[in-house]
Amino acid sequence: MAANRTFSIIKPDATRRNLTGAVTKMLEEAGLRVVASKRLLLSTAQAEDFYAVHAERPFYRDLVGFMTSGPVVVQVLEGDDAVRRNRDVMGATNPADAGAGTIRKELAESIEANTVHGSDSDENAATEIAFFFQPDEIVG
Ligand code: ATP
Ligand code: MG
């Protein structure tokens, strides 16, 4: 499959523990290239929008609170089969279920504070990239 793109967030639990570099290293070692990156504080409205698909879930308010609790690093990642490749290196949502060597197994604190977000489809990747980046901010 040709090189394509996905969207990643290094979550507040990771920036708080100074793990931006450690996470990025694992992404790079998995064959992904960071072609855009910025650190920012999500507003409540941005976090609500971003996770709107989970609005009816019992953990939604906590999730929005967590995602706005500190800086995040939003990134565009490029690589062969980028969405699947990134999901593979992230590991399962719950770090207790994540495979050895995955980011969540090695670094995550809990099912909520699970260190990274990654797009789950090419369509969502395109939407999420456009949510945070202008085309000229992405340099492959
Ligand atoms: P993400 O969308 O962040 O990449 P994911 O696709 O693995 O993670 P989702 O089911 O989309 O998982 O859940 C989004 C996020 O909501 C999770 O990453 C986690 O931070 C939080 N979350 C999911 N399930 C729970 C839960 N049962 N309790 C608390 N938080 C949860
Ligand atoms: Mg998800």
Side-chain angles (χ1 to χ4, degrees):
M1 190 172 174
N4 57 7
R5 290 175 175 173
T6 191
F7 175 75
S8 171
I9 303 179
I10 301 176
K11 295 185 178 183
D13 65 286
T15 61
R16 187 187 339 107
R17 291 177 290 149
N18 206 23
L19 294 176
T20 298
V23 172
T24 302
K25 182 169 191 279
M26 292 178 80
L27 296 172
E28 291 177 341
E29 285 175 352
L32 294 159
R33 178 177 296 268
V34 180
V35 296
S37 184
K38 57 188 170 191
R39 178 174 167 112
L40 50 88
L41 254 184
L42 293 179
S43 67
T44 297
Q46 278 178 310
E48 286 172 347
D49 270 11
F50 190 80
Y51 279 120
V53 64
H54 295 307
E56 303 308 319
R57 306 285 287 278
F59 58 79
Y60 179 65
R61 292 292 2 142
D62 278 355
L63 177 60
V64 169
F66 165 62
M67 290 299 290
T68 57
S69 68
V72 299
V73 178
V74 295
Q75 297 179 319
V76 181
L77 308 177
E78 197 169 80
D80 287 347
D81 206 0
V83 168
R84 186 199 53 77
R85 188 177 288 265
N86 185 39
R87 298 288 299 191
D88 285 352
V89 71
M90 287 163 59
T93 307
N94 186 346
D97 300 330
T102 63
I103 292 170
R104 285 167 167 168
K105 185 64 167 188
E106 302 302 323
L107 302 177
E109 292 184 316
S110 69
I111 191 170
E112 177 179 85
N114 61 3
T115 306
V116 278
H117 160 81
S119 307
D120 58 13
S121 67
D122 286 343
E123 187 188 356
N124 285 340
T127 304
E128 292 172 1
I129 289 169
F131 192 94
F132 286 104
F133 291 98
Q134 298 299 315
D136 69 357
E137 294 180 304
I138 305 167
V139 183

